[in-house]
Amino acid sequence: IILLSIISHPYDVLIQSLGCQLLHNLACHNDETKSMMLGKNNDDANPSLSCMDVLVKSMKNVLDSADVQMSACMAISNLAPAVGNHYGSSGVGWNNFCGIDMSLVSSSPSHDSPVISSGAITSIISAMEKHPQHKKLQEHACAALLNISTLGKLEVKAVSSSNGISMLLAAMVNHQQVVEIQANACGALANLAAVL
């Protein structure tokens, strides 16, 4: 019903914002809840939409709303680690990238990453470009890219090829005094550097 409400009112900023916030809050729960959120729904009207798909559609429909972009980035950030668990990605991990054999990181995973197929990465980058001075959005977008960059080589390459490195650096330059942005962006850049 939550996804249906968001889908049924694609340009209503309040519904999009609250719906994305609700999905973020649900994504804070245990791995079982996150895994359920990543699965496809059984709605005959929209049979192939997952929460990731709905979040991305919301971001695209109301790009001008920083609140919607921030809430969606928060939800994607919380869902990204579950992608690895749900789809079997081996991941990088920003706390332990130094010294690992990067050949162990899957270069052609056996899953279709919902982070890539949904367009989440390009939507996050678009939000960062559209709202460069919005500190909280930049913080959560960098966190989302950090978590996405732990999933594997394909996700890292997708972040890199989508102008992710430039946007992470821009966030760091624009918000030099915001520790959370600096930490999230540095972590994401460390993961990217470990794989690229």
Side-chain angles (χ1 to χ4, degrees):
I1 190 104
I2 298 163
L3 298 181
L4 183 59
S5 178
I6 295 170
I7 293 166
S8 297
H9 306 280
Y11 303 104
D12 186 299
V13 173
L14 181 61
I15 291 174
Q16 296 302 307
S17 182
L18 294 174
C20 288
Q21 286 177 24
L22 177 56
L23 293 176
H24 162 255
N25 290 342
L26 290 171
C28 290
H29 290 281
N30 59 37
D31 287 340
E32 184 178 326
T33 302
K34 291 177 188 178
S35 184
M36 182 181 70
M37 292 175 73
L38 288 169
K40 302 294 185 181
N41 68 36
N42 295 320
D43 180 2
D44 290 337
N46 300 291
S48 64
L49 292 178
S50 69
C51 284
M52 193 73 73
D53 296 320
V54 171
L55 288 163
V56 170
K57 283 183 179 293
S58 183
M59 292 177 83
K60 289 178 179 177
N61 288 339
V62 285
L63 183 59
D64 288 338
S65 171
D67 288 338
V68 171
Q69 303 303 310
M70 181 182 66
S71 296
C73 283
M74 291 167 66
I76 292 168
S77 180
N78 284 344
L79 284 172
V83 169
N85 295 337
H86 185 76
Y87 288 86
S89 179
S90 55
V92 177
W94 81 287
N95 288 328
N96 62 354
F97 72 91
C98 290
I100 53 174
D101 178 2
M102 294 314 292
S103 66
L104 298 175
V105 178
S106 175
S107 61
S108 55
S110 61
H111 67 278
D112 180 24
S113 172
V115 173
I116 295 174
S117 64
S118 68
I121 295 168
T122 55
S123 291
I124 293 165
I125 302 297
S126 293
M128 294 176 81
E129 290 171 343
K130 180 74 174 176
H131 306 280
Q133 297 305 318
H134 194 287
K135 291 177 188 172
K136 286 307 226 180
L137 186 153
Q138 294 293 319
E139 173 189 338
H140 294 294
C142 289
L145 293 176
L146 166 61
N147 288 341
I148 288 167
S149 70
T150 66
L151 297 176
K153 285 184 179 180
L154 291 179
E155 289 84 359
V156 165
K157 288 178 182 176
V159 169
S160 176
S161 67
S162 299
N163 201 29
I165 294 171
S166 295
M167 291 314 303
L168 288 163
L169 293 172
M172 293 178 76
V173 168
N174 290 336
H175 305 284
Q176 294 179 22
Q177 301 304 314
V178 182
V179 174
E180 296 83 1
I181 292 174
Q182 299 298 312
N184 291 338
C186 281
L189 290 167
N191 288 342
L192 295 169
V195 175
L196 296 176

